[in-house]
Amino acid sequence: MLSRKFSGVNVDKYCFILKFKLVDNNNFISFVAYLQNIMENIMEQVLSNRINSLSESQTLAMARISRELIAQGKDIISLSIGEPDFATPDFIKEAAKKAIDENYTHYTPVPGYLELRKAISLKFKRDNNLDYSPEQIVVSTGAKHALTNLALTILNPGDEVLLPTPYWVSYHDMIKIAEAKPITIHSGIEADFKVTPQQIEAAITSKTRMFWFSSPCNPSGSVYSKDELFAIAQLLSKHPNILIVADEIYEHINFLDKHQSIAQFDFIKDQVITVNGVSKGFAMTGWRIGYIGAPKWIADACTKMQGQFTSGTCSIAQKAAQAALEADPISITPMQEAFRKRRDLVLKLMSEIPGLKLNVPKGAFYVFPDVSYFFGKTDGETVIKNADDLSMFLLHKGLIAMVSGDAFGNPDCLRLSYATSEEILTEAIKRMKNTLALLK
Ligand code: PMP
Ligand code: GLU
């Protein structure tokens, strides 16, 4: 029974609507859904403005909906979440077991064990030719946490952050948590989803504090070349107040050639925070280890922030990450090769679907087709107005889960993760083709 006062909220209004709805509607399922909706409305009024202003992560939401439908017995193929389907390599798991046996079970230094930060420092030098000393490195609970630390540590209310679209879904809300303003810069499929220095320059104002991007990019798979990064670095070096957040978490899933970091140019390095982690390259999403290399004043500030929130991240996962990063990167070549084969397969099969516009992703494990051809089309009563409608149509009619491009700031597209087996991908794209063919 609802009480009249629920943490200061007057619920009479809701009780009235409830009675009205009870008389009016005998359908139990819609009644329960309605009740849930009312409770959510009430809860919203007692939560902070901060949380109410955030959206649920659309990647995680789609993964959740798929799981719920699967639990109801539906044969859903989920290509919604971006996580390698491979198991963590054995030598990494062994390092974690050893860490437990050797009692690495206590609180760790807030920025991470010194041995791990030394391993990251060597990795930066070995793989990226970057000089970050262990004091310039902070290890966090996933790259997601490392990025949130940065937003909370650097941004003030009203600061502007330049965000090329499509962007990874959480950047937008991380910036909003810090009460700063995401300023999107559009890039479409015709530009291979990459922005130019001219576009960036046109978006800079006196309030611009950050330029924030990923390469290889989630969701488009685009990769900025060394020349393109140089041109962006040249522009931003003329604006020393603007920091660059370079998210390089897909470093090891790059089909072009060697990964390129924007911090490699000495004249910009003091403005760059390089973000990376072990989730994608080493199939370690559940271990929750991400890190930054940054100017020391930023690393110190992130450590201070982290000291009040989470402390140092999991001791055992840190030891596992150390083993991963100390190993020769050749150990993960089979996974990279599998991703390349899957990308080629998916592109071949999707190119046979009329109406889809495709670019060739050069990295990460996503395809981001432009699906605007289907907007305005119908199947019986169902009208497809946008990518959200199309993703729901594909989910309920085709039993295949993908994420609407709207979540990534590009409402003409859909994101498909191909981090799954070739058999599943083949079946998924067959379903996609058949379902899209229903739209007239
Ligand atoms: N950046 C990008 C671009 C990502 O796709 C992800 C995936 N979740 C992250 C950061 C966060 O990774 P982590 O699992 O290390 O938190
Ligand atoms: N990065 C993955 C994705 O984009 C994981 C999900 C998440 O952390 O949001 O799907």
Side-chain angles (χ1 to χ4, degrees), residues 142-144 147 168 171 214 218 247 249-250 279-280 288 366:
K144 206 173 214 173
L147 290 160
W168 179 46
Y171 297 165
S214 63
N218 178 2
D247 182 346
I249 190 117
Y250 293 95
S279 286
K280 314 292 172 168
R288 311 307 303 130
Y366 308 101

Side-chain angles (χ1 to χ4, degrees), residues 22 33 46 64 90 98 117 143 147 152 188 191 200 223 225 261 310 319 321-322 343 345 352 385 433:
L22 257 177
V46 296
R64 175 178 54 74
D90 284 343
K98 187 158 169 273
R117 284 180 291 126
L147 290 160
L152 291 176
I200 300 171
V223 174
S225 69
S261 298
T310 55
K319 286 290 168 192
Q322 186 183 331
R343 178 202 62 172
L345 172 74
E352 291 160 12
K385 294 185 292 303
K433 186 174 181 180

Side-chain angles (χ1 to χ4, degrees), residues 88-101 287 316 319-320 323:
T88 303
D90 284 343
F91 74 93
I92 299 174
K93 294 196 276 196
E94 287 309 320
K97 290 177 198 163
K98 187 158 169 273
I100 296 175
D101 289 341
W287 298 76
I316 299 149
K319 286 290 168 192

Side-chain angles (χ1 to χ4, degrees), residues 57 59-60 80-82 144 168-170 218 250 280 366 415:
S57 160
T59 46
L60 300 182
S80 56
I81 197 158
K144 206 173 214 173
W168 179 46
V169 57
S170 292
N218 178 2
Y250 293 95
K280 314 292 172 168
Y366 308 101
R415 190 191 79 171

